[in-house]
Amino acid sequence: MNNRLTVPLYASLLSMALLTTSCGPDNPIPDSQQLSQGEGSGQGQTATGGNNEKDTGESEDQGSEVVPYQASVMVKGLNAPWEIVTVADGRMFVTERPGVIRVITDGKLEAEPLIEFKAPFNEEGEGGLLGLEADPDFESNGYLYVYHSYLDGQDIANRVLRLKVTGGKAVIDKELLTGIPGGVNHNGGRIKIGPDQLLYITTGERYEPELAQNQDSLGGKILRIGLDGSIPSDNPWPNSPVYSMGHRNAQGLAWNPDNGYLYATEHGQRNHDEINWIVAGENYGWPEVEGDDDDNGTYQAPLAHSGNNTWAPSGVAFITEGPWAGSLVAANLRGEQLLRVVLSKDGTKVEQVIPFFEDEWGRIRNVSTGEDGKLYVLTNNRDGRGSPRDGDDKLIVLTPEG
């Protein structure tokens, strides 16, 4: 199955009319305003917004967009946070990349961590304690799932663990998946439980691009396993956790609950960062193609990509209520912004990609949804690549206005 998508130009009919009259061979659209199909097959949408050495301009719609949320800081002083989950009793658990899960109770950061990981835990470069997810039955079983880097002899690898939470502490309960290729960079790391009650895992290719095209390697993939570590019988390849392949370094996963579609964010090599619609068993092309390169339909094309700009997208959320309902919202690291990705009604096309909060909080690692349409945003200025600001890192709450 190969569902290459033809994505419409990023513009309303009015915008298209204005561009047609004002831009031609003698008046080309500036790069900072070009939100259109690329030069290849035209299967993926090129969308600007983000940082690039040659182009840091704004997209054409950005200036007219009003942010329909009120931002407030809930917690300060986090250390390179990566993921946040909320459980039934209202507690929030936050992973910090150096190896600690922090607890937020009633909006206050607890002094004592839930757990602090020891050897063989490893934190180098982009590795460390990354993804976190709560079991759907957490209230009764106390299970959390984590993804972290560790030393396997002289090599860096990644693994998925199940934790058991009792009171205010957690212990390692079970190893679910080990030996995921790891390195100083490109460790993937996002884990999410899908509508099918299975665990999905993004992995990187640790700067060995060929791993992404090796079906037998767990690197450069999206994986799918049971909550007990078992391999689902309906995975695309027998006895393999691999769900999709050809990924460089995917770091975001989100589902549309209305149709079950899975979306992922992925880092490009220098730019051409991607928003992908993930289909079981499909190949997303890295390192054979990037963005909307013409590959004669061999690989799945992205729904949208950043062109010559750089987003460095990480966490992503599908918004189900509030002013951005029906859209994806993606956190950007180098782009230092949130992207609202407006989808078509059937969820198979991107209609707009609109940046918000540019340069306001620095690097943004994750965005997740909460009650009453709230969004929770984690900054990442203490990750070794950012410039820490007063109070960093922060948990910021976006509350819908009105």
Side-chain angles (χ1 to χ4, degrees):
M1 177 179 179
N2 193 297
N3 294 328
R4 290 204 55 153
L5 305 176
T6 302
V7 180
L9 297 179
Y10 168 7
S12 65
L13 293 176
L14 176 60
S15 297
M16 286 295 294
L18 291 173
L19 289 173
T20 301
T21 56
S22 62
C23 300
D26 298 325
N27 295 288
I29 303 171
D31 286 344
S32 62
Q33 294 184 357
Q34 192 167 359
L35 294 156
S36 61
Q37 295 169 328
E39 297 176 354
S41 63
Q43 302 301 312
Q45 176 181 340
T46 304
T48 61
N51 289 332
N52 183 273
E53 293 176 359
K54 297 181 179 180
D55 181 2
T56 58
E58 296 181 345
S59 69
E60 63 175 320
D61 285 351
Q62 182 180 341
S64 62
E65 292 288 339
V66 175
V67 180
Y69 293 86
Q70 181 67 43
S72 61
V73 176
M74 176 183 285
V75 171
K76 297 181 180 181
L78 296 168
N79 188 9
W82 219 89
E83 180 65 278
I84 182 170
V85 299
T86 302
V87 295
D89 62 14
R91 284 181 296 172
M92 296 177 169
F93 299 128
V94 181
T95 57
E96 292 182 329
R97 215 178 63 197
V100 175
I101 298 180
R102 306 297 300 276
V103 183
I104 299 170
T105 305
D106 297 328
K108 305 295 184 183
L109 185 65
E110 300 283 351
E112 291 297 317
L114 184 73
I115 187 174
E116 184 173 355
F117 287 87
K118 307 294 185 182
F121 174 84
N122 183 71
E123 183 217 357
E124 292 183 56
E126 296 174 355
L129 180 57
L130 306 176
L132 179 71
E133 180 66 295
D135 192 278
D137 296 321
F138 176 85
E139 195 170 12
S140 61
N141 62 28
Y143 289 154
L144 294 175
Y145 305 89
V146 297
Y147 182 107
H148 78 74
S149 307
Y150 69 101
L151 289 177
D152 184 10
Q154 299 300 312
D155 295 327
I156 299 174
N158 295 292
R159 64 179 180 173
V160 179
L161 303 175
R162 188 173 71 193
L163 307 181
K164 173 74 172 180
V165 179
T166 304
K169 293 295 179 181
V171 296
I172 296 174
D173 179 69
K174 184 179 181 180
E175 284 188 336
L176 300 185
L177 187 61
T178 64
I180 299 169
V184 174
N185 296 317
H186 292 196
N187 291 286
R190 195 69 59 185
I191 58 175
K192 294 287 183 182
I193 295 175
D196 52 10
Q197 304 302 296
L198 297 172
L199 190 63
Y200 291 72
I201 304 152
T202 72
T203 71
E205 34 76 301
R206 71 176 182 194
Y207 277 134
E208 296 180 22
E210 65 274 11
L211 295 183
Q213 290 299 320
N214 181 350
Q215 185 181 307
D216 295 326
S217 171
L218 300 184
K221 309 294 191 300
I222 293 176
L223 310 178
R224 179 182 186 241
I225 62 174
L227 300 184
D228 59 357
S230 60
I231 305 299
S233 60
D234 62 345
N235 269 10
W237 292 280
N239 303 312
S240 171
V242 174
Y243 188 75
S244 64
M245 59 189 295
H247 300 287
R248 183 172 181 269
N249 191 25
Q251 288 191 0
L253 293 171
W255 284 264
N256 179 339
D258 293 332
N259 54 29
Y261 290 167
L262 171 60
Y263 302 96
T265 60
E266 183 169 337
H267 290 240
Q269 186 168 17
R270 280 181 55 85
N271 37 51
H272 292 94
D273 301 313
E274 296 179 355
I275 306 292
N276 284 304
W277 173 24
I278 303 301
V279 178
E282 289 300 324
N283 189 326
Y284 289 79
W286 176 254
E288 303 302 320
V289 296
E290 281 192 279
D292 58 359
D293 287 348
D294 189 355
D295 53 56
N296 298 316
T298 304
Y299 305 105
Q300 287 288 98
L303 293 185
H305 64 84
S306 64
N308 292 325
N309 289 299
T310 301
W311 296 333
S314 191
V316 64
F318 186 90
I319 311 304
T320 59
E321 57 181 321
W324 287 348
S327 298
L328 293 167
V329 175
N332 287 190
L333 292 162
R334 187 178 174 189
E336 298 190 352
Q337 62 192 359
L338 290 180
L339 289 182
R340 180 189 176 200
V341 181
V342 181
L343 299 168
S344 61
K345 188 173 181 179
D346 65 2
T348 65
K349 300 177 179 65
V350 167
E351 295 184 342
Q352 289 182 306
V353 179
I354 311 168
F356 290 89
F357 301 107
E358 288 184 284
D359 304 319
E360 290 195 27
W361 304 315
R363 292 166 62 83
I364 301 177
R365 171 63 68 183
N366 195 37
V367 57
S368 58
T369 58
E371 75 288 350
D372 302 324
K374 292 179 181 176
L375 305 182
Y376 295 98
V377 177
L378 290 173
T379 70
N380 234 187
N381 295 313
R382 295 174 64 183
D383 66 353
R385 293 183 176 179
S387 299
R389 308 177 184 198
D390 184 40
D392 277 336
D393 276 314
K394 304 180 185 75
L395 169 59
I396 298 166
V397 184
L398 301 181
T399 303
E401 293 184 336

